[in-house]
Amino acid sequence: MAEPCGEENLLAGRQPVAWFDAFRPELLTDGIAALEGDPELGSRSAVLASERAFLEYDLGADRQVTAALLQVGPRARYAVELSSDRQTWQPLFALPPSGEQGLRVRAARGLAGRGRYLRLSATGQREGHAVAEFQVFCRAPVAPPLEAHPATLPAPS
């Protein structure tokens, strides 16, 4: 039987089942973003620390994915892939670098993917790739479930 296709965030509260070179991954799926334009490497963002870094999530069953939301830094290229078996990955969408400063919410609609596992990766900058929120949907919601809190920078040592 097919899973119902609702507007809920399919990643809400999920932790990655696998990751490499990623720090604070629990921040990506907590439903709390930074304020638009907040510092990339502040208290609200996870960090994909290298060009080989990735995070993989299990949706629990094969699910249709038609929309996604990421709050990310502007200088990297972010890629999201889907798989049914964690062996063969198909591209779902990619976000190119943007010209804006700080963390920004970027959405993708009209996607056509199906799979049980999602993988997020980033390339294009040396000092780490910031991601403050990651959400995916079977059906795009009118307004994504997103709460925003200001990010703080680490205290100088």
Side-chain angles (χ1 to χ4, degrees), residues 21 24 28 33 38 40 43 57 71 80 90 92 97 104-105 109 120 127 134 141-143:
D21 216 6
R24 301 188 306 201
L28 270 71
D38 268 358
E40 292 176 57
S43 61
Y57 294 89
Q71 186 181 42
V80 177
Q90 300 299 317
L92 179 63
R104 300 290 173 175
V105 171
R109 293 176 179 261
L120 171 65
E127 60 273 1
F134 183 27
V142 173

Side-chain angles (χ1 to χ4, degrees), residues 91-134:
L92 179 63
F93 74 99
L95 293 175
S98 73
E100 300 177 288
Q101 293 297 310
L103 292 166
R104 300 290 173 175
V105 171
R106 299 175 67 192
R109 293 176 179 261
L111 304 175
R114 183 170 196 83
R116 177 174 177 161
Y117 302 97
L118 277 166
R119 180 166 53 196
L120 171 65
S121 60
T123 58
Q125 73 182 50
R126 287 182 164 178
E127 60 273 1
H129 316 290
V131 184
E133 188 64 19
F134 183 27

